[in-house]
């Protein structure tokens, strides 16, 4: 009995971080006001913040609205439409999405997999800290808001972050790290942060809660949903080395293997998994994904054998950008010459519409399982509908009997 209990306890520790005392909790009301301010949105709770009447914030609102409106029209809305048509609900609804090499780019993963429950993101960028409006005053607010626009600028204009620029932006900005950027993206996507917890990652793959303490954190956990919706989604971001020298040693691989199988998303991934130095994380994604959506910078095309995977090609492929010209894939080019479906938005390094590529790979075993589940549900529904209704009670005839 003891030998069976211990593994269950260990598994629970992998999935559920320890809960800190209440004094370590984040003030959610103030946090969401801070996010609304930084995102250039209407304040939710405390509308009398002095900085809300400043010219720098009014300018920030105008610029953020303009930039996000353009990105929504060019990318996010077409991406959502593509997702609705191309990604099967039985593989995405309630699923876990592994978006590695992501940086703080939750906005595209959220629009591509809007019905997923959990997003797991990872990059070299630091976790950072919780943004607080108390850090701002009339003297530094304009600069801080400009830093926010600068940090978001590349993803809004080009659909990806350049790692070196992003690391510099996040290290020297007023609000450090990926955490503020991810939460600003969530706020601009109509989401309200319900919970925020900083975590340390142990070598055995367990997580230890740091509560509201961000210093030294290896990861952050964000629970979110629209403000008046009770059921939340969860975002994990890990600052971790994904190369073979780090993936297994940090404990991240062990933790990741304990998470449910599901979907993977890869975009502007620097072609790292084309190298043997990143073979372990590549193998993990292939094994633990039922569906992979990626561009040519992710897992090489040759790893998706036709006996295991069903492929769908979108957009066009003529080779990578000049910076990554050594990673040209002849087999992928041949497959695209055989036919592909038009892509209505730009994504990845070739971010202009009409130049991008996007591929969807689905495990045939997952499709078979989904078909069986659908057939079973249909059969059960038919059985329920054909059952005879319960007999109605016999009707009494005549009036009540009177004893003489």
């Amino acid at each position: 009995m003891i030998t069976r209990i211990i593994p269950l306890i260990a598994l629970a520790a992998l999935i559920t971080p320890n809960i800190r005392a209440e004094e370590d909790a984040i003030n959610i009301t103030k946090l969401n006001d801070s996010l609304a301010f930084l995102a250039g949105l209407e304040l939710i709770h405390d509308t009398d913040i002095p900085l809300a009447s400043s010219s720098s914030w009014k300018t920030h609102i105008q610029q953020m609205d303009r930039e996000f409106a353009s990105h929504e029209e060019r990318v996010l809305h077409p991406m959502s439409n593509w997702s609705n048509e191309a990604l099967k609900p039985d593989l995405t609804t309630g699923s876990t999405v592994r978006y590695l090499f992501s940086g703080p780019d939750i906005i595209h993963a959220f629009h591509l997999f809007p019905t997923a429950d959990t997003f797991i993101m990872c990059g070299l960028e630091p976790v950072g800290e919780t943004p607080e409006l108390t850090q701002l005053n009339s003297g530094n607010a304009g600069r801080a808001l400009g830093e926010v626009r600068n940090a978001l600028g590349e993803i809004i204009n080009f659909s990806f972050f350049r790692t070196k620029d992003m690391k510099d932006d996040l290290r020297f900005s007023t609000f450090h790290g990926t955490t503020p950027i991810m939460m600003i993206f969530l706020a601009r996507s109509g989401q309200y942060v319900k919970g925020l917890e900083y975590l340390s990652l142990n070598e055995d793959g367990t997580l230890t809660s740091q509560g509201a303490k961000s210093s030294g954190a290896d990861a952050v956990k964000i629970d979110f949903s629209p403000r008046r919706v009770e059921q939340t989604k969860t975002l994990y971001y890990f600052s971790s080395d994904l190369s073979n020298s780090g993936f297994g040693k940090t404990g991240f691989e062990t933790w990741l293997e304990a998470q449910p199988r599901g979907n993977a998303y890869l975009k502007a991934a620097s072609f790292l998994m084309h190298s043997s130095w990143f073979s372990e994380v590549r193998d993990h994604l292939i094994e633990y994904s039922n569906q992979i959506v990626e561009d040519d910078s992710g897992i090489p095309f040759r790893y998706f054998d036709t006996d295991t995977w069903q492929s769908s090609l979108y957009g066009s492929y003529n080779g990578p950008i000049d910076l990554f010209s050594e990673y040209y894939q002849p087999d992928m080019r041949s497959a695209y010459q055989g036919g592909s479906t038009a892509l209505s938005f730009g994504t990845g390094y070739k971010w202009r519409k009409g130049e991008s590529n996007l591929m969807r790979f689905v495990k045939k075993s997952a499709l078979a399982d989904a078909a069986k589940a659908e057939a079973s549900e249909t059969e059960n529904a038919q059985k329920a509908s054909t059952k005879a209704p319960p007999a109605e009670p016999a009707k009494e005839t005549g009036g009540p009997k009177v004893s003489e």
Side-chain angles (χ1 to χ4, degrees):
M1 176 67 72
I2 294 177
T3 57
R4 294 183 62 187
I5 293 175
I6 291 176
L8 291 174
I9 295 174
L11 179 58
L14 287 171
I15 301 174
T16 307
N18 298 327
I19 299 175
R20 287 278 184 174
E22 289 186 4
E23 58 265 22
D24 287 335
I26 302 287
N27 186 316
I28 295 300
T29 297
K30 291 183 178 179
L31 171 61
N32 281 280
D33 274 340
S34 297
L35 297 178
F37 183 86
L38 296 176
L41 297 169
E42 182 179 350
L43 298 176
I44 304 169
H45 302 288
D46 186 359
T47 58
D48 296 326
I49 295 174
L51 289 174
S53 60
S54 65
S55 60
S56 60
W57 191 56
K58 293 177 182 178
T59 299
H60 182 64
I61 292 174
Q62 293 173 354
Q63 294 188 15
M64 291 286 277
D65 283 348
R66 182 171 61 250
E67 294 292 340
F68 273 92
S70 173
H71 190 61
E72 287 170 355
E73 181 181 357
R74 290 182 296 106
V75 178
L76 297 182
H77 291 162
M79 178 180 280
S80 295
N81 293 335
W82 180 87
S83 173
N84 290 335
E85 294 173 2
L87 305 184
K88 291 183 176 295
D90 46 15
L91 293 178
T92 56
T93 303
S95 69
T96 294
V97 176
R98 288 164 168 82
Y99 182 15
L100 308 186
F101 306 96
S102 63
D105 177 31
I106 180 58
I107 193 168
H108 291 109
F110 178 72
H111 282 79
L112 197 61
F113 298 95
T115 60
D117 281 351
T118 304
F119 298 87
I120 301 171
M121 298 168 54
C122 182
L124 291 176
E125 295 80 6
V127 170
E129 60 189 13
T130 307
E132 297 179 4
L133 288 186
T134 54
Q135 297 174 254
L136 300 182
N137 54 54
S138 58
N140 68 3
R143 184 187 76 246
L145 294 174
E147 291 169 349
V148 168
R149 294 193 299 273
N150 186 58
L152 301 181
E154 285 189 344
I155 195 66
I156 293 174
N157 292 313
F158 306 119
S159 90
F160 66 92
F161 290 109
R162 286 181 289 195
T163 303
K164 183 182 183 300
D165 292 347
M166 176 54 58
K167 289 177 71 175
D168 290 343
D169 289 342
L170 298 183
R171 183 181 297 115
F172 300 113
S173 60
T174 303
F175 301 109
H176 303 302
T178 60
T179 299
I181 302 301
M182 293 187 297
M183 292 193 294
I184 291 171
F185 277 142
L186 290 174
R188 293 293 316 196
S189 301
Q191 303 301 300
Y192 186 92
V193 173
K194 303 289 184 70
L196 178 64
E197 182 181 19
Y198 293 96
L199 307 162
S200 57
L201 174 64
N202 305 309
E203 291 184 359
D204 63 355
T206 58
L207 296 176
T208 301
S209 175
Q210 297 185 184
K213 182 182 176 183
S214 61
S215 178
D218 301 303
V220 63
K221 177 187 177 187
I222 303 170
D223 296 316
F224 64 94
S225 70
R227 185 182 173 193
R228 303 193 185 282
V229 174
E230 291 187 7
Q231 185 174 355
T232 60
K233 300 178 184 293
T234 299
L235 162 61
Y236 289 96
Y237 175 82
F238 288 81
S239 177
S240 189
D241 178 8
L242 291 172
S243 71
N244 291 356
S245 61
F247 186 49
K249 295 178 181 177
T250 60
F252 183 49
E253 179 181 20
T254 303
W255 182 86
L256 203 55
E257 287 177 345
Q259 308 313 305
R261 296 170 185 265
N263 296 280
Y265 179 38
L266 296 163
K267 173 174 66 67
S270 300
F271 295 85
L272 294 174
M273 286 181 288
H274 288 236
S275 164
S276 60
W277 291 102
F278 289 83
S279 62
E280 293 178 5
V281 66
R282 181 182 65 217
D283 292 344
H284 170 87
L285 291 175
I286 290 173
E287 180 179 353
Y288 284 83
S289 301
N290 294 325
Q291 178 173 235
I292 297 177
V293 177
E294 66 164 15
D295 64 15
D296 60 318
S297 72
I299 298 171
F301 187 81
R302 65 182 180 274
Y303 283 91
F304 296 98
D305 66 274
T306 55
D307 290 336
T308 304
W309 299 89
Q310 180 185 91
S311 63
S312 301
L313 308 180
Y314 301 87
S316 62
Y317 177 74
N318 296 309
I321 59 174
D322 291 343
L323 180 62
F324 299 110
S325 59
E326 63 187 289
Y327 298 110
Y328 176 75
Q329 302 179 68
D331 54 348
M332 182 175 167
R333 171 63 176 159
S334 177
Y336 264 86
Q337 287 178 325
S340 64
T341 303
L343 191 63
S344 59
F345 57 93
T347 183
Y349 294 127
K350 289 194 170 182
W351 50 271
R352 291 182 176 87
K353 180 182 175 181
E355 299 181 8
S356 306
N357 66 82
L358 196 62
M359 296 168 285
R360 171 179 174 263
F361 300 99
V362 183
K363 277 183 180 164
K364 293 181 177 180
S365 59
L367 290 173
D369 291 342
K372 289 179 182 178
E374 183 177 356
S376 178
E377 290 179 4
T378 301
E379 182 180 357
N380 291 336
Q382 290 175 344
K383 288 180 179 179
S385 64
T386 56
K387 284 184 178 179
E392 295 183 4
K395 295 181 180 179
E396 295 184 0
T397 58
K401 293 182 180 181
V402 180
S403 56
E404 295 181 357

